[in-house]
Amino acid sequence: MPDSRTLWTAVVIICIAVSVFFSVKKRTTFKRLQQLMAAKQWDEFDRLLDGKLTSMLYPRYNRDYLRLNSYLLREDHKRANEMFDLLLGLNLPKMQRVDLVIKAFNYYVGQEDRKKSKELLREIKGFEGGQAEAVAHECQLMYDTMILKRHNDIPELERMLKEAGDDKVKSCRLEYLLALQYQNKGDEAKFQEFLEKSGQHSMAVNA
């Protein structure tokens, strides 16, 4: 019979092998899910996401977050709304909550849902630490532009755009808001100008 030391060594080796297996499968499964989303192969994506192995590899929240992203890409607004309701009703760690609330706010502002946007904006204004104040201010600008259809923030947005410098992501976002504010104002030429600039920065970011 093997002694206890031999048994212990065998157990350690097995544990390491299992750990390596799950680590590798986790990476390859996530990569495959990303590929299926990019290719919009939704049936295969759903089968893989709902599979037993994926359920073992990822917590429920992570799987549902991926599912939410797929609904947004599919423009399946009914199921996206249901998934946001489900996830926002969970008791989440602070950083997950912040990420989800901002994601939901961006979505509902885009849908011009005044009630849900306002509720989420109120929560965003209660965030503390880090860039919380700057994020809340930018979300307020989005709400004013896309929900209230205001155009009185043009000077501030143009100042923020100058300060953004080479930050293409921020410039893209600010140029889009400027385009919408000029549209709200009725200035079609400026709307087209900033919409084109935003599109160019968007292509540069995603290149």
Side-chain angles (χ1 to χ4, degrees), residues 129-171:
Q131 299 294 315
E133 188 175 342
V135 170
H137 181 60
E138 195 162 319
C139 288
Q140 181 68 62
L141 288 171
M142 290 175 64
Y143 183 84
D144 292 348
T145 304
M146 302 173 76
I147 300 295
L148 302 183
K149 305 298 182 184
R150 292 180 179 172
H151 56 79
N152 56 312
D153 298 308
I154 289 173
E156 181 180 3
L157 286 165
E158 290 182 335
R159 176 185 57 77
M160 291 171 68
L161 180 59
K162 286 182 181 179
E163 293 173 354
D166 295 329
D167 188 335
K168 291 183 175 61
V169 174
K170 191 169 186 178
S171 294

Side-chain angles (χ1 to χ4, degrees), residues 64 67-68 71 79-88:
D64 282 343
R67 200 184 313 278
L68 169 62
Y71 292 156
R79 290 199 284 183
N81 287 334
E82 290 170 352
M83 190 55 63
F84 270 125
D85 287 342
L86 173 67
L87 296 179
L88 288 167

